[in-house]
Amino acid sequence: MHPLTTDLEDHAYLLSLFKKTGALLEGHFQLTSGLHSSRYLQCALVLQYPEHAESVGSALARRFSDHQIEAVVAPAIGGIIVAHETARALCVRALFTEREGDLMTLRRGFQLNQGERVLVVEDVVTTGGSTRETIEAVTRAGGLVVGAGSMVDRSGGAAQVGVPRESLLTLEVPAYHPSECPLCNDGTPAIKPGSRKQ
Ligand SMILES: [Zn+2]
């Protein structure tokens, strides 16, 4: 576990973890959304190391240590390990939501007590959409969401989710429609990271 204690140290430490594990790639990428970007983040490559996952969880837990969190909830799949490690550091339960049709919901018999104080976490916030959907699922289940956290904020701090939000690493990652992509204009082909198809 890393012994760092300030937000700035979190940022530098997590950035070093992303680079060390090959989880932050620089180049010309086609994202799942179809947009092109010069940076690609794959949090799973950091989280595959339990000691790094533990550091991420303890750093997020510290940001919310005075919020009397009683449970941590994340959207599956990307948020599950983040929730687990954050919950471990806070000594509370870790739950996750899944899609049932179009609706994000708690399944598997997961339940929240009425008014239970919940922290929602995920790996990457881009628009905040899946955090907001998870907050709605927790609220429908009777929980009270008191904060939201992520390993990475790709919105440069812009995403709003309706509760106080913390991110360990805030990055501005511009994404372009292929027709307007400056990297395409340079003539290099975009690659799809994490996929065998190029
Ligand atoms: Zn491009």
Side-chain angles (χ1 to χ4, degrees):
M1 201 180 309
H2 79 97
L4 309 176
T5 53
T6 71
D7 297 357
L8 207 60
E9 287 169 330
D10 283 344
H11 183 100
Y13 183 75
L14 200 56
L15 194 58
S16 76
L17 283 186
F18 268 87
K19 289 183 172 165
K20 189 163 77 178
T21 61
L24 174 61
L25 301 177
E26 313 262 356
H28 181 197
F29 305 105
Q30 182 178 332
L31 308 176
T32 316
S33 60
L35 299 177
H36 288 191
S37 179
S38 63
R39 273 179 158 176
Y40 179 77
L41 290 158
Q42 182 49 271
C43 289
L45 292 179
V46 173
L47 297 170
Q48 71 181 315
Y49 299 98
E51 70 271 29
H52 297 340
E54 186 179 20
S55 293
V56 165
S58 67
L60 276 173
R62 181 172 48 73
R63 304 283 183 105
F64 293 95
S65 58
D66 56 356
H67 283 64
Q68 294 87 44
I69 304 296
E70 296 173 295
V72 182
V73 180
I77 292 173
I80 292 178
I81 294 174
V82 180
H84 187 269
E85 294 299 327
T86 305
R88 185 210 298 277
L90 291 168
C91 298
V92 299
R93 288 143 61 225
L95 289 64
F96 56 87
T97 59
E98 297 164 88
R99 281 190 195 288
E100 203 162 47
D102 283 341
L103 188 67
M104 190 74 95
T105 188
L106 287 168
R107 301 176 65 181
R108 301 171 194 268
F110 282 145
Q111 290 188 334
L112 291 165
N113 297 318
Q114 200 62 37
E116 191 163 5
R117 296 174 66 83
V118 171
L119 173 64
V120 168
V121 297
E122 65 174 320
D123 52 357
V124 181
V125 163
T126 304
T127 63
S130 63
T131 288
R132 282 195 297 273
E133 285 181 84
T134 305
I135 290 171
E136 285 164 19
V138 167
T139 304
R140 280 197 309 276
L144 174 68
V145 178
V146 296
S150 64
M151 288 174 73
V152 180
D153 175 359
R154 240 171 41 174
S155 78
Q160 299 284 328
V161 299
V163 295
R165 193 167 70 78
E166 292 278 347
S167 180
L168 301 181
L169 179 61
T170 299
L171 296 172
E172 197 112 35
V173 187
Y176 308 96
H177 191 273
S179 66
E180 296 165 352
C181 176
L183 301 159
C184 282
N185 274 344
D186 292 344
T188 57
I191 62 164
K192 286 185 189 174
S195 162
R196 273 173 293 180
K197 288 184 195 150
Q198 300 268 315

